[in-house]
Amino acid sequence: GASLMVRGLRTLSDMEYEFTMSLMNLNLDPEIETVFLMAYAKNQAIASKLVKEIARLDGDVTKFVPASVKQTLLEKLKS
């Protein structure tokens, strides 16, 4: 039932991917609007894939995610 999607952009490749997705979403439902927000420079190099890999290798992800996200991520990796 959502009519608005908020997507974060870090790089030009993110923009290309997200723009393509937003066009597809519009084709599926013309009522869906997508808003793009640029990431702060300090967060541009952080990708969820990399954070997951650090956690999977028992690295410290504290400076990349909030405590609640870290806890959920570690619990998910245990299962």
Side-chain angles (χ1 to χ4, degrees):
S3 62
L4 177 71
M5 298 173 94
V6 178
R7 305 295 294 177
L9 303 174
R10 296 169 296 139
T11 64
L12 184 57
S13 61
D14 283 352
M15 178 62 192
E16 291 177 21
Y17 174 81
E18 294 295 344
F19 183 71
T20 302
M21 289 297 292
S22 70
L23 292 176
M24 183 56 69
N25 287 333
L26 279 174
N27 280 303
L28 294 172
D29 184 347
E31 299 296 315
I32 294 177
E33 185 175 355
T34 304
V35 175
F36 300 106
L37 299 175
M38 295 302 300
Y40 287 115
K42 69 177 186 170
N43 297 329
Q44 287 183 349
I46 301 170
S48 61
K49 181 178 178 179
L50 296 175
V51 173
K52 290 174 193 172
E53 186 67 16
I54 292 167
R56 195 173 294 114
L57 296 170
D58 295 322
D60 184 12
V61 296
T62 303
K63 62 183 174 182
F64 302 119
V65 295
S68 60
V69 172
K70 177 183 175 182
Q71 183 62 35
T72 303
L73 175 60
L74 295 176
E75 289 171 5
K76 189 172 183 177
L77 288 175
K78 288 179 184 176
S79 59

